[in-house]
Amino acid sequence: MNIMNYKLVELNDEEFNEYAIKHEHNNFFQSIYMKELLEKENKEVYLLGLKDDSDNIICATLITNSSSFMGYKTYEALKGFLIDYTNEELVKYFTLKIKEFIKNKKGYRLIIDPYIPYVERDIDGKEVENGIDNRYVDKYLKKMGYKSLKNNAQVKWTFVLDTNKSIDELLSDMKPNTRNCINKTLNKFKLIVEEIPYEKLDVFKKITQDTCDRRHFVDRSLSYYQNMYKIFGDKLKTLVCKLDLNLYIDELKSERKELERKIEELSDSNSNLKKKEQFKKDILNINDRISNAIELKDKHGDELILSGAMFVLYGSEIVYLFSGSYDEYMKFNGQYRLQYEMIKYASEHNYKRYNFYGIRDLYEKNYEKDYGVYEFKKGFNGYVEELIGAYEIKVNYIYTIHHILKKIFKK
């Protein structure tokens, strides 16, 4: 069928959802859940699609207004379009029809940031030879009039783990330090992971606020997390990781008892003196940890909350979206346990990938200040995914005025 015969229509929630969830570029930004969340923030949201004569959806997107200038608006297709990017003519025609649509809504520019990789990269961020290469999409978008946006709120660099293996295989593939940290949470600290209900989201908010204050970030409001919880429903999990202090103290006492038994069994020969001294030092260390644990129990009660995280489960992936950890309790590795539990969940529930989400541009100057985030995620094994990035395109003459004024103010 001739592309020019396709008609742009507003889709209802049901037909958009049915199309979006099955699309190869599905993501939670392009979902009816995100539509409802944006509407809670008083944003305009439209579900648009091209249909053929038989009422089949050819492509679709969610667009929303994100900012205004002189009474005119920017419209944005978050991680959109849901389209076949190998079909240049289709992308061009869809762009044209959306521009016509938003022009009638006083739009002056359109922003897109397609959910496709720029080029395929490995765990170290190096380009994979003969891997996925979508540079041609970048070229034809620019030929259409799109311009690259260097500064955009949407994440471009992410870290991803394919989860089409058993959890034992995935754990085995992790870097030794990461695997050891996870094993400690399972066998030594015996940490507890719980999904918290809506009524306890303030506990999660307290963790994220503490982390944001420490790292000089701005946290989301409690109402935002509450809206996420209500809207995404079973597509969202909010977990906290806790240390049972009674169990921890009992475990330490068992370790101490075992060391005392070993000392008693050793003879007083010269060859055993060093072993005995080391065991005694280990016992002193355990005594210190027991004292510390008792102090924590007196202060916090039987359970100590270490960290928390919020995950979105949509389409073929789980996304690690928001999180936080109390700095003084990082030694218990709660953040490692949360990742392990959700990677395990992804593996057992047939999700294709676990998306650790944002890392900083590995080729950006002064990247070192956030290198620890990348190193933490890298320990779980996986690969860097550089998305193609954000683009803007002119809708009417206000765009030109905005562009000129930006240049003047920059100078």
Side-chain angles (χ1 to χ4, degrees):
M1 185 178 177
N2 191 327
I3 285 176
M4 303 299 286
N5 293 331
Y6 295 151
K7 292 180 181 178
L8 185 77
V9 297
E10 287 194 56
L11 304 171
N12 61 44
D13 286 4
E14 186 179 346
E15 58 186 346
F16 179 82
N17 183 55
E18 188 177 343
Y19 178 81
I21 198 74
K22 295 175 184 176
H23 200 276
E24 65 173 315
H25 304 311
N26 65 63
N27 64 88
F28 77 91
F29 284 97
Q30 290 286 317
S31 71
I32 56 170
Y33 307 104
M34 183 55 71
K35 172 180 178 280
E36 191 176 343
L37 185 64
L38 291 166
E39 287 172 340
K40 283 274 187 186
E41 297 176 343
N42 299 314
K43 299 283 184 73
E44 294 173 46
V45 187
Y46 302 98
L47 305 176
L48 304 176
L50 288 179
K51 283 188 174 183
D52 64 15
D53 290 340
S54 301
D55 208 39
N56 297 311
I57 300 172
I58 306 304
C59 54
T61 194
L62 175 156
I63 63 168
T64 184
N65 65 313
S66 59
S67 63
S68 61
F69 173 72
M70 292 177 59
Y72 288 81
K73 306 166 199 168
T74 292
Y75 283 90
E76 197 165 350
L78 304 168
K79 294 286 179 277
F81 309 132
L82 298 174
I83 197 168
D84 176 7
Y85 283 100
T86 66
N87 191 332
E88 181 179 343
E89 287 306 307
L90 182 61
V91 175
K92 184 177 181 180
Y93 184 68
F94 196 37
T95 297
L96 175 66
K97 301 311 285 184
I98 290 176
K99 283 174 64 179
E100 290 174 359
F101 179 87
I102 64 177
K103 191 173 184 179
N104 291 326
K105 305 287 183 185
K106 293 198 74 175
Y108 77 94
R109 68 171 178 164
L110 170 67
I111 294 175
I112 66 171
D113 61 312
Y115 200 52
I116 58 172
Y118 182 59
V119 292
E120 190 173 350
R121 297 188 179 277
D122 63 16
I123 191 170
D124 298 311
K126 294 175 183 174
E127 191 175 327
V128 175
E129 190 176 350
N130 300 318
I132 296 167
D133 191 338
N134 286 317
R135 278 178 280 220
Y136 73 95
V137 177
D138 173 76
K139 287 179 183 177
Y140 78 58
L141 286 175
K142 288 173 178 173
K143 192 170 69 175
M144 289 176 195
Y146 282 100
K147 294 180 180 177
S148 287
L149 270 176
K150 288 185 179 178
N151 298 315
N152 186 57
Q154 296 305 314
V155 169
K156 183 182 179 186
W157 290 79
T158 65
F159 195 81
V160 178
L161 172 64
D162 290 334
T163 50
N164 54 348
K165 295 180 181 179
S166 71
I167 186 58
D168 290 338
E169 290 174 300
L170 289 166
L171 184 61
S172 178
D173 289 342
M174 292 175 193
K175 300 219 170 183
N177 181 62
T178 298
R179 189 166 57 250
N180 291 339
C181 286
I182 291 169
N183 284 330
K184 278 184 182 179
T185 73
L186 293 165
N187 305 313
K188 187 174 183 178
F189 304 136
K190 301 186 187 300
L191 301 186
I192 300 164
V193 173
E194 287 182 356
E195 189 168 357
I196 59 172
Y198 177 86
E199 295 75 22
K200 291 188 177 179
L201 280 175
D202 59 320
V203 174
F204 175 71
K205 165 64 179 171
K206 190 177 177 183
I207 302 169
T208 58
Q209 189 64 62
D210 181 87
T211 303
C212 286
D213 290 346
R214 187 173 72 245
R215 300 187 66 193
H216 309 293
F217 291 159
V218 177
D219 192 17
R220 299 279 188 175
S221 65
L222 176 59
S223 63
Y224 181 88
Y225 293 131
Q226 289 171 332
N227 285 334
M228 285 281 294
Y229 197 103
K230 287 188 284 188
I231 291 165
F232 279 83
D234 62 359
K235 302 294 181 187
L236 182 120
K237 283 188 178 292
T238 307
L239 305 180
V240 293
C241 189
K242 302 188 292 187
L243 175 67
D244 183 321
L245 288 163
N246 290 319
L247 196 63
Y248 178 52
I249 291 167
D250 286 345
E251 188 69 21
L252 289 172
K253 286 178 178 177
S254 292
E255 280 186 48
R256 182 175 64 187
K257 191 172 182 180
E258 178 62 18
L259 288 171
E260 287 169 345
R261 184 190 65 77
K262 286 181 178 180
I263 290 172
E264 285 179 11
E265 288 180 354
L266 288 172
S267 65
D268 291 332
S269 64
N270 290 334
S271 61
N272 286 330
L273 286 177
K274 284 187 178 180
K275 282 185 181 180
K276 280 189 173 184
E277 287 304 310
Q278 184 58 54
F279 288 153
K280 287 176 182 178
K281 285 180 183 178
D282 291 340
I283 287 171
L284 289 174
N285 179 262
I286 288 173
N287 287 338
D288 288 341
R289 286 156 64 193
I290 290 171
S291 297
N292 180 250
I294 291 169
E295 286 177 17
L296 289 173
K297 185 182 172 182
D298 291 341
K299 185 177 179 181
H300 299 283
D302 291 340
E303 293 181 336
L304 178 66
I305 294 175
L306 309 173
S307 54
M310 185 176 279
F311 307 85
V312 172
L313 296 70
Y314 184 81
S316 57
E317 72 174 2
I318 291 178
V319 180
Y320 166 46
L321 197 57
F322 303 117
S323 69
S325 294
Y326 290 118
D327 192 44
E328 61 267 43
Y329 309 132
M330 296 286 269
K331 63 184 177 183
F332 294 112
N333 300 324
Q335 64 279 24
Y336 284 92
R337 180 62 179 276
L338 287 173
Q339 300 301 323
Y340 169 79
E341 289 297 329
M342 285 310 294
I343 290 169
K344 182 182 176 185
Y345 186 92
S347 171
E348 292 175 350
H349 290 79
N350 300 316
Y351 285 91
K352 291 181 181 177
R353 43 188 249 157
Y354 179 82
N355 192 338
F356 287 90
Y357 212 44
I359 58 172
R360 289 288 294 275
D361 182 342
L362 298 185
Y363 298 95
E364 185 183 66
K365 288 182 180 178
N366 302 319
Y367 174 73
E368 291 77 11
K369 64 179 181 178
D370 284 323
Y371 194 75
V373 174
Y374 165 55
E375 279 293 297
F376 169 71
K377 296 176 180 181
K378 188 177 176 182
F380 293 87
N381 207 0
Y383 53 91
V384 171
E385 186 168 81
E386 177 196 7
L387 297 176
I388 199 164
Y391 300 83
E392 65 176 356
I393 194 167
K394 175 182 176 180
V395 174
N396 68 17
Y397 71 96
I398 298 295
Y399 175 88
T400 306
I401 296 172
H402 179 259
H403 199 63
I404 291 168
L405 289 175
K406 264 204 323 186
K407 281 188 173 181
I408 291 170
F409 285 124
K410 195 173 181 180
K411 287 181 180 180

